[in-house]
Amino acid sequence: MIKKVLVANRGEIAMRIFRSCRVMNLPTVAIYTHADRGALHVRYAEEAYCISENEADTSYLKPEIILNIAKKTGAAIHPGYGFLSENADFARRCEEEGVVFIGPSADIIAKMGIKTEARKIMEAAGVPIVPGTKEPVSMENVHAKAKEVGYPIMLKALAGGGGKGMRMVRKEEDLEAAFRMSASEAANSFGDDAIYIEKYIENPHHIEVQVLGDKYGNVIHLYERECSIQRRNQKVIEESPSPFVKEETRKKMLAIAVAACKKIGYYSAGTLEFMMDKDQNFYFLEMNTRLQVEHPVTEACTGVDLVRDMILIAGGSPLPYKQEEIEFRGAAIECRIYAEDPESNFMPSPGVIRVREAPEGRNVRLDSCAYAGFEVSLHYDPMIAKLCSWGRNRESAISNMRRALREYKILGIKTTIPFHQRVLQNSTFLKGNYDTTFIDTKFDKEELKRRENNDPTVAIIAASLKHFEQEKEAAARATTVPLVGESLWKHYGKLQMSANNF
């Protein structure tokens, strides 16, 4: 039985996990660095511990310190996503030292975390896989292996996901530079610079299947998500169900995912990612042995709280429902709100949030770590929120998201809110037949730029605020002679009231 939860993470995912813990009446423990001492998750948890060794230390990759805090507080550890979430050594240390790890076993993480091994396992389980290398490649053999697979190819990090360490290469003369960049990014993100090669499928759809299993061999699926709108191999908009996948293909893909997870003995929440071509042929990409960023769209359509169920499963409980009890309703869309400038190739936009107005109302969910006065740091991922909408059908979910995006105001930094607004007006997106090349081929970035430059809203607000401050300051400086016999206290009180009326 789990009695307390430490989240080995930060930002909006720490807040999302803490909120489920509060519903379950579970005390919570936060960790933070000096850079995050003002973060929302630090304020929300019942206990909080700094893991920085000095002011310049911004790392959350501190397994020894985190384990010591968990043992000291008697807490189980939920890793969230990123950081230590798919680190098999960390999960194994938890197992060895009697700390409950809220996720799958260390052995499963290790097997599925090494992407080439995962491909072998899934191929043996009857899952179709993308052609590629069965072992990591080196600078010495990368040219030969790339020719064997055939251009165009994808270089991918062996130890991670989230678009880190990925490069698409169309011709041999670009290979070495791309390999060096992929290896360097993989080493920085995951502590492992190993790279493998996959065949690049032209104009693919990125489809993933959410699974949930317990320690007693029960596995169910929670349907699929469409995740094809990406920039730099990182998802920015997701939806469920996929508007592209046909029902016959859907049934086949879901059945294969469940069968594969049963065969490998998977438990906890997990996601199988597939690439699908224009003819509905699908190929296994990788398995994420953790909670996904885009899990809210699945929760919106199934009513399942994935974090709650992960905690229950880690504590030894069986799955609380059978496959036939999962009712899929309507459609949901998630927009990842990044502190990035979409006009400048989505470059990070750190800084202090001056104004924040969050959307409210029916069928809208906001998972966020932002608030007015919060400083978005360059040290961490620029995602500051996930905005999710639900509707009885896809058109309704889109309408709800449009309304929510109009209400969402963040000033002080650039965000991707204007980009999302334009996507939801795009004819290709509305038809539902977009693929991973959408931003490069179907989205008019110049139109976004023109719209931003011509939008007078921010200028009007700024001018109004400046006028307000000037008038208030002038009123406060105004001097008048008090009436004969009038109390000075009353006189200055009138002046103050006059100033406050502006």
Side-chain angles (χ1 to χ4, degrees), residues 44 60-61 136 156 159 162 183 230 271 316 335 377-378 419 423 434 453:
Y44 193 89
Y60 277 83
L61 299 174
K156 303 185 74 173
Q230 304 177 5
T271 300
C335 292
S377 171
L378 263 177
F419 163 78
V423 171
Y434 56 87
N453 290 342

Side-chain angles (χ1 to χ4, degrees), residues 222-291:
L222 297 170
Y223 296 88
E224 90 285 355
R225 299 183 286 255
E226 171 77 60
C227 308
S228 295
I229 297 185
Q230 304 177 5
R231 55 96 179 93
R232 296 194 295 271
N233 300 308
Q234 180 71 53
K235 305 161 194 170
V236 290
I237 297 178
E238 302 96 351
E239 62 178 306
S240 185
S242 166
F244 175 72
V245 178
K246 296 178 181 177
E247 188 58 29
E248 181 182 352
T249 307
R250 175 177 292 113
K251 289 179 179 178
K252 182 179 178 182
M253 185 167 55
L254 298 176
I256 284 176
V258 170
C261 288
K262 285 183 177 180
K263 188 164 185 176
I264 65 176
Y266 190 84
Y267 62 83
S268 193
T271 300
L272 280 79
E273 299 198 352
F274 297 92
M275 285 303 231
M276 184 176 290
D277 66 21
K278 60 183 177 61
D279 298 317
Q280 303 270 312
N281 298 306
F282 59 90
Y283 306 93
F284 173 78
L285 270 181
E286 62 186 21
M287 183 173 190
N288 292 306
T289 55
R290 54 169 169 82
L291 195 65

Side-chain angles (χ1 to χ4, degrees), residues 5-57:
V5 174
L6 180 155
V7 176
N9 219 298
R10 64 177 300 278
E12 58 81 24
I13 186 56
M15 287 298 300
R16 187 268 169 271
I17 296 167
F18 283 157
R19 288 192 170 108
S20 277
C21 290
R22 186 165 287 187
V23 171
M24 299 172 72
N25 294 316
L26 289 174
T28 51
V29 181
I31 59 171
Y32 66 97
T33 64
H34 281 296
D36 263 346
R37 53 185 173 269
L40 200 59
H41 77 282
V42 180
R43 304 179 185 183
Y44 193 89
E46 278 84 0
E47 300 176 61
Y49 296 85
C50 182
I51 61 172
S52 290
E53 296 177 6
N54 52 60
E55 288 284 340
D57 180 7

Side-chain angles (χ1 to χ4, degrees), residues 194-236:
I195 299 294
Y196 71 103
I197 297 174
E198 278 184 351
K199 177 70 176 176
Y200 178 72
I201 299 173
E202 298 284 356
N203 303 324
H205 288 257
H206 189 131
I207 312 293
E208 59 187 35
V209 176
Q210 177 70 61
V211 294
L212 191 63
D214 62 24
K215 298 179 180 180
Y216 308 100
N218 303 304
V219 179
I220 62 171
H221 69 75
L222 297 170
Y223 296 88
E224 90 285 355
R225 299 183 286 255
E226 171 77 60
C227 308
S228 295
I229 297 185
Q230 304 177 5
R231 55 96 179 93
R232 296 194 295 271
N233 300 308
Q234 180 71 53
K235 305 161 194 170
V236 290

Side-chain angles (χ1 to χ4, degrees), residues 14 16 21 67 72 84 87 113 134 139 153 163 177 207 221 245 258 281 311 319 329-330 389 414 463 472 478:
R16 187 268 169 271
C21 290
L67 272 168
K72 173 184 175 182
L84 296 168
N87 188 308
K134 297 184 182 297
M139 185 59 80
I153 62 167
I207 312 293
H221 69 75
V245 178
V258 170
N281 298 306
I311 293 171
L319 274 177
R329 296 176 58 252
S389 68
K414 294 279 190 178
K472 187 173 180 179

